[in-house]
Amino acid sequence: IYQPLRWLYLGYGRDQGSMEFQQSAIATPGQVTTRRLSYRNDFYTFGFAVGFDPTKRKVAPILAVYGKIPVRPGEFNGSGVGAGLGLYF
């Protein structure tokens, strides 16, 4: 009735893009400059879920855990983890 591991994934990915913001100059009041920063962050990802066998009942609870770990931690990337509880139909 209990399936310890419903699914598992391991992976490698990349976030990339740019951020743009405006900055007021301290030396010359009233002058606004726009700055653009590009970023590219590689990361490892993992996830798994555990739960009960849905073939025994029409609805079964499931618990999922996932994470994202940067290959090289930097200023604009960091680890992220999460968990979820749901129902499998």
Side-chain angles (χ1 to χ4, degrees):
I1 188 166
Y2 176 69
Q3 289 181 327
L5 190 60
R6 294 298 306 258
W7 51 259
L8 168 70
Y9 72 85
L10 302 170
Y12 179 84
R14 175 178 294 152
D15 288 331
Q16 66 185 54
S18 63
M19 294 186 288
E20 189 173 292
F21 59 95
Q22 292 183 341
Q23 182 177 12
S24 296
I26 296 172
T28 54
Q31 182 181 1
V32 176
T33 58
T34 301
R35 299 194 59 173
R36 181 183 209 124
L37 297 174
S38 296
Y39 63 88
R40 179 179 156 179
N41 302 319
D42 296 333
F43 60 88
Y44 301 110
T45 185
F46 69 90
F48 65 90
V50 295
F52 292 93
D53 186 358
T55 61
K56 304 294 180 190
R57 296 183 190 92
K58 291 187 184 247
V59 178
I62 191 167
L63 171 67
V65 176
Y66 60 90
K68 179 178 164 182
I69 303 165
V71 174
R72 289 173 298 280
E75 294 178 2
F76 298 111
N77 65 346
S79 296
V81 293
L85 182 62
L87 295 174
Y88 186 85
F89 296 93

